[in-house]
Amino acid sequence: QVQLVESGGGAVQTGGSLSLSCTASGSISSIAVMGWYRQAPGKQRELVATITSNGITNYADSVKGRFTLSRDNAKNMVSLQMNSLKPDDTAVYYCVGSPKYRVDYSMDYWGKGTLVNVSS
């Protein structure tokens, strides 16, 4: 079993920056892909970014050039640096993981989520 615990998040003004971190515990060796999803109020959950165990990243078009995802396999941690934040980035951000890569980016492991609130 894998547990994912997020930290970071909070409130920031438009144009500001925040960093989210996620630490994995449990059967770490089973996690091939990690990343973040988000869900804004009244909207469907959407993929933000993913990273494989060898560092290959994938970003949603809406965050490309603004967000950077990194992974520290030794620490079982991923970090999401978010710059130039916009009100549309306001959402609950979920750390996610999967034992294998899937073309639809579906995930098996989910954290409880952390709120990011960007004010105009």
Side-chain angles (χ1 to χ4, degrees):
Q1 189 69 17
V2 172
Q3 296 82 42
L4 303 176
V5 178
E6 303 101 337
S7 61
V12 66
Q13 291 187 328
T14 296
S17 298
L18 282 174
S19 180
L20 304 180
S21 294
C22 173
T23 301
S25 61
S27 302
I28 306 302
S29 60
S30 69
I31 306 177
V33 181
M34 294 187 72
W36 296 85
Y37 269 72
R38 68 185 181 185
Q39 186 167 21
K43 295 186 178 180
Q44 289 189 331
R45 200 169 287 181
E46 64 175 358
L47 176 69
V48 177
T50 61
I51 187 168
T52 64
S53 56
N54 57 359
I56 298 173
T57 54
N58 173 68
Y59 295 94
D61 288 343
S62 59
V63 306
K64 281 181 181 177
R66 300 188 298 122
F67 290 13
T68 302
L69 181 60
S70 60
R71 179 169 180 167
D72 187 334
N73 291 325
K75 296 182 179 180
N76 301 317
M77 178 185 293
V78 293
S79 298
L80 184 67
Q81 178 63 41
M82 305 183 293
N83 299 326
S84 302
L85 284 162
K86 308 173 182 179
D88 284 348
D89 295 316
T90 294
V92 176
Y93 284 71
Y94 297 91
C95 180
V96 296
S98 174
K100 58 183 178 181
Y101 170 78
R102 300 187 180 102
V103 292
D104 65 353
Y105 296 103
S106 58
M107 298 292 171
D108 295 77
Y109 315 124
W110 291 76
K112 293 183 178 181
T114 185
L115 177 63
V116 171
N117 189 1
V118 185
S119 59
S120 57

